[in-house]
Amino acid sequence: CPVCSAKTTMSDDGTFIYCPNSMSCGGRLRTSIEHFASRDAMDIRGLGYGYIKFLVEAGHLTKISDVYKLHEYKERLYQLDGFGKLAIDKLLDSIEKSKTTDLHRFIYGLGIPMVGLGTSKLISTAFRSLEVISKVNVESYLDIDGIGEITANAIVDYFSVEENQEIISE
């Protein structure tokens, strides 16, 4: 990995190479947060690459759920060069608004391997709650037209990781 120097891993289907250091790699963390904040996911306007890079390097963002804790640093953010009060207020307002999004956008924003926007819509339509989605077995995912074995396994694997469960809970 060009960021953390970990040995990279090939995806099971051989389509991409990635850093296995999940959230302990600064590059993967920044990318995960960018994806989470994107228009198709949580649509957090104002939380772009520059802010994310700075907030990760400053230690304010160590996982995607930390986005919802940025209000705790509001006064500190006001004091930083390049961060105007109005921009910070708009960012925090956008973060607050993102808390009431559609389930499929949240699922997509988690960055589950093999789960794009379309698959997240299929999942949320079939199971209708995050609690159910996080506990469903591979066979139940395979019952959904459009979800194959690799994707079903990736979803179940994602929800079996305790760190991911904690992030979702937060």
Side-chain angles (χ1 to χ4, degrees):
C1 172
V3 176
C4 72
S5 300
K7 186 176 180 184
T8 55
T9 304
M10 178 74 73
S11 64
D12 290 339
D13 64 355
T15 58
F16 59 93
I17 297 172
Y18 64 94
C19 174
N21 275 343
S22 187
M23 297 302 144
S24 62
C25 172
R28 257 194 89 184
L29 175 60
R30 286 192 304 271
T31 301
S32 295
I33 294 170
E34 277 184 89
H35 176 76
F36 184 76
S38 71
R39 178 177 290 155
D40 287 337
M42 302 305 288
D43 194 22
I44 300 174
R45 295 170 192 246
L47 189 58
Y49 176 80
Y51 273 139
I52 293 168
K53 184 176 188 293
F54 177 82
L55 293 167
V56 167
E57 290 173 358
H60 297 313
L61 296 176
T62 60
K63 55 190 177 259
I64 60 175
S65 58
D66 286 347
V67 167
Y68 295 102
K69 297 175 187 173
L70 285 177
H71 68 277
E72 296 172 11
Y73 306 107
K74 183 178 184 176
E75 294 303 320
R76 196 176 313 161
L77 294 174
Y78 285 158
Q79 306 304 316
L80 299 172
D81 289 335
F83 289 78
K85 184 179 184 311
L86 182 61
I88 296 296
D89 288 342
K90 284 183 177 183
L91 171 61
L92 295 175
D93 183 51
S94 185
I95 290 169
E96 190 63 31
K97 286 179 183 174
S98 77
K99 292 178 181 180
T100 56
T101 192
D102 296 324
L103 179 59
H104 76 272
R105 292 171 63 114
F106 180 74
I107 297 295
Y108 174 66
L110 292 174
I112 301 168
M114 311 302 295
V115 176
L117 194 53
T119 302
S120 67
K121 287 178 182 179
L122 292 173
I123 294 166
S124 63
T125 300
F127 300 116
R128 300 195 185 272
S129 85
L130 189 56
E131 183 178 350
V132 173
I133 291 168
S134 68
K135 294 177 181 169
V136 172
N137 61 27
V138 171
E139 292 75 23
S140 295
Y141 283 113
L142 290 173
D143 288 340
I144 301 172
D145 189 31
I147 295 183
E149 189 172 339
I150 292 172
T151 302
N153 281 310
I155 297 166
V156 171
D157 288 348
Y158 178 88
F159 285 107
S160 71
V161 175
E162 188 174 330
E163 180 184 12
N164 294 337
Q165 288 287 346
E166 289 173 10
I167 289 169
I168 291 167
S169 177
E170 289 178 355

